[in-house]
């Protein structure tokens, strides 16, 4: 492996609409971007990745400051040691990362930047490397908690006009039955509709959640706390509507446990949360072997992460539409090329690596701090 350096940038992009879930609201996408700079066979190469961490520990225990420290103090020096030894770099980096406990978001960001750099140097698209075979990825839209039912219906109506065919509503106690009923009444029973509670319910809410059966939902995502697989198993046993895990799936082992316990009928695979694209692919393969359908989740990524997610979502067991919407659903101005909806699908880029064309001027404009390590 050639010598490399990694530049970390803290950046913020205004969202076109605030995004509120049971865990809080965001008006800007705060992101840690990684640029992995090295020499390729034909000159300098940059691999790009973004970290799924937020500024605060809202969804995950890791947040931007802890990820930055982990990368600077532990993971980048470790990658440098791996690079100095003989043998193929990426598999040995994966083994070294697996030896460090926890920190999946930091690991995912580092591995993704290295992967993008290696593939750009080799001229290979990430989708080819991962085994993706689709040139159109069916996608949906995730709709935050609104101030009123009228606002929600306006938003959903606008997204349907934009061409989305699958809608996910964020729910929480007090914002669940009414919004779901209103969307069903306004847009019909045929609209593929699912809900995501981001862990907001408790086992005592199971009787209430069973009443969601009447809405004919595609799935109910992560109703209970991430570590409560048994509560999900209890709900899944009594509900015909599929139960889908998101935050509970942090590794291949947790996916295997959830499947063995029958705690999940579907999996939302977020590469950022499981430690990277290679582990995401392993979870996809495990789920496929057990007949568990998957979709590729999202963290309001910039084009950098969106391009990578589209490459992953081309794998065959991503049979549910992904949380990967068009650029215009998130940002007026992104830091890469825009991704546009075509027949409710996005088209994965075909260039080497992630295929994201990073606009350096746009990145400069949104950067507030940087560190090279
Ligand atoms: O990227 O379109 C997107 C957002 C999809 O709802 C989405 N993600 O729990 O699935 C989820 C949430 C995670 C939090 S978004 C900051
Ligand atoms: Mg979710």
């Amino acid at each position: 492996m050639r010598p490399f350096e990694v530049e970390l940038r803290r950046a913020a992009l205004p969202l076109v609409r605030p995004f509120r879930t049971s865990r809080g609201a965001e008006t800007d996408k705060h992101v840690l971007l990684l640029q992995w700079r090295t020499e390729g066979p034909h000159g300098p190469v940059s691999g790009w990745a973004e970290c799924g961490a937020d500024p605060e520990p809202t969804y995950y225990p890791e947040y931007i400051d802890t990820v930055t420290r982990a990368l600077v103090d532990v993971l980048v020096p470790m990658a440098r040691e791996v690079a100095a030894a003989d043998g193929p770099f990426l598999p040995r980096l994966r083994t070294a990362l697996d030896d460090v406990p926890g920190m999946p978001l930091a690991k995912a960001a580092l591995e993704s930047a290295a992967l993008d750099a290696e593939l750009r140097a080799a001229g290979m698209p990430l989708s080819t490397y991962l085994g993706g075979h689709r040139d159109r990825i069916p996608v949906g839209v995730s709709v935050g908690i609104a101030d009123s039912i009228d606002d929600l219906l306006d938003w959903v109506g606008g997204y349907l006009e934009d061409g989305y065919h699958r809608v996910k509503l964020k729910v929480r106690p007090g914002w669940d039955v009414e919004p779901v009923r209103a969307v069903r009444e306004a847009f019909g029973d045929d609209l593929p509709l699912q809900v995501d509670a981001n862990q907001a319910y408790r086992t005592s809410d199971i009787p209430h959640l069973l009443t969601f059966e009447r809405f004919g939902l595609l799935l109910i995502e992560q109703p209970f706390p991430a570590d409560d697989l048994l509560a999900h198993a209890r709900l899944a046993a009594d509900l015909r509507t599929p139960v889908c895990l998101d935050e509970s799936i942090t590794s291949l082992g947790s996916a295997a446990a959830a499947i063995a316990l029958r705690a999940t009928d579907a999996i939302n695979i977020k590469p950022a949360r499981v430690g990277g694209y290679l582990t995401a692919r392993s979870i996809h393969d495990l789920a496929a072997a057990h007949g568990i359908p998957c979709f590729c989740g999202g963290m309001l990524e910039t084009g950098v992460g969106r391009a990578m997610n589209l490459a992953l979502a081309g794998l065959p067991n991503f049979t549910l539409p992904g949380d990967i919407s068009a650029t215009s659903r998130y940002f007026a101005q992104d830091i890469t090329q825009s991704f546009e909806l075509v027949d409710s699908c996005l088209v994965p880029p075909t260039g080497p690596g992630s295929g994201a064309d990073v606009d350096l001027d746009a990145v400069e404009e949104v950067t507030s701090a940087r560190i090279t390590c």
Side-chain angles (χ1 to χ4, degrees):
M1 175 73 191
R2 297 165 285 275
F4 65 87
E5 63 177 15
V6 180
E7 186 169 56
L8 310 179
R9 291 168 183 260
R10 219 182 151 126
L13 286 72
L15 291 167
V16 293
R17 167 176 293 162
F19 190 66
R20 196 191 310 159
T21 73
S22 65
R23 307 201 62 87
E26 35 199 313
T27 51
D28 298 277
K29 168 65 186 176
H30 290 269
V31 64
L32 186 71
L33 293 168
L34 282 73
Q35 185 182 12
W36 179 291
R37 293 193 285 249
T38 187
E39 278 300 313
H42 310 295
V45 175
S46 277
W48 286 89
E50 72 180 87
C51 179
D54 291 316
E56 313 281 336
T58 315
Y59 288 95
Y60 306 120
E62 292 172 273
Y63 53 100
I64 290 179
D65 285 344
T66 68
V67 167
T68 303
R69 285 259 58 91
L71 288 167
V72 172
D73 296 345
V74 181
L75 301 180
V76 171
M78 200 183 76
R80 203 156 269 128
E81 268 179 37
V82 172
D86 292 334
F89 177 64
L90 287 170
R92 287 181 307 108
L93 177 63
R94 184 71 255 159
T95 306
L97 292 175
D98 284 342
D99 271 351
V100 179
M103 303 193 288
L105 274 71
K107 292 173 180 175
L110 187 69
E111 185 183 71
S112 302
L115 180 60
D116 190 40
E118 290 274 291
L119 292 175
R120 284 181 196 251
M124 180 188 283
L126 177 61
S127 55
T128 308
Y129 177 82
L130 292 173
H133 71 298
R134 275 182 284 188
D135 54 8
R136 289 204 170 185
I137 308 299
V139 298
V141 61
S142 175
V143 185
I145 294 170
D147 285 339
S148 68
I149 298 281
D150 282 349
D151 284 356
L152 179 72
L153 295 179
D154 275 355
W155 292 353
V156 173
Y159 290 132
L160 297 182
E161 270 172 31
D162 290 342
Y164 293 101
H165 291 163
R166 182 284 260 160
V167 171
K168 162 162 139 178
L169 299 182
K170 292 291 182 178
V171 292
R172 67 176 177 208
W175 179 267
D176 49 19
V177 169
E178 287 315 312
V180 175
R181 193 207 322 268
V183 168
R184 271 280 176 250
E185 279 173 11
F187 303 107
D189 290 341
D190 290 341
L191 172 68
L193 185 65
Q194 60 196 58
V195 295
D196 185 1
N198 290 109
Q199 317 182 55
Y201 295 91
R202 298 295 174 265
T203 23
S204 55
D205 295 313
I206 286 180
H208 173 62
L209 293 172
L210 290 175
T211 71
F212 285 35
E213 197 87 277
R214 67 193 136 138
F215 295 122
L217 299 173
L218 268 184
L219 54 88
I220 295 185
E221 184 173 330
Q222 198 70 48
F224 305 120
D227 61 1
D228 202 346
L229 290 182
L230 294 180
H232 289 97
R234 277 181 57 193
L235 181 66
D238 288 345
L239 198 64
R240 277 195 316 272
T241 303
V243 172
C244 172
L245 289 180
D246 174 358
E247 288 94 321
S248 296
I249 307 298
T250 54
S251 61
L252 186 61
S254 58
I259 293 170
L261 287 170
R262 299 184 189 279
T264 198
D265 303 301
I267 300 181
N268 170 343
I269 301 183
K270 285 189 185 137
R273 190 197 59 226
V274 302
Y277 287 85
L278 306 183
T279 309
R281 181 175 58 184
S282 303
I283 294 173
H284 161 278
D285 295 349
L286 177 78
H290 287 84
I292 304 276
C294 297
F295 70 92
C296 180
M299 288 298 294
L300 307 174
E301 281 87 355
T302 73
V304 168
R306 190 171 324 286
M308 289 194 148
N309 287 351
L310 284 170
L312 178 73
L315 290 171
N317 193 43
F318 284 103
T319 50
L320 298 166
D323 279 346
I324 321 173
S325 306
T327 304
S328 58
R329 182 257 172 270
Y330 308 98
F331 310 113
Q333 175 69 55
D334 202 347
I335 54 173
T336 65
Q337 76 269 41
S338 290
F339 295 92
E340 317 279 351
L341 210 59
V342 183
D343 295 333
S344 210
C345 293
L346 292 184
V347 178
T350 51
S354 72
D357 298 327
V358 179
D359 178 341
L360 279 175
D361 292 337
V363 172
E364 286 297 332
E365 239 170 72
V366 295
T367 298
S368 58
R370 66 179 88 204
I371 307 177
T372 302
C373 49

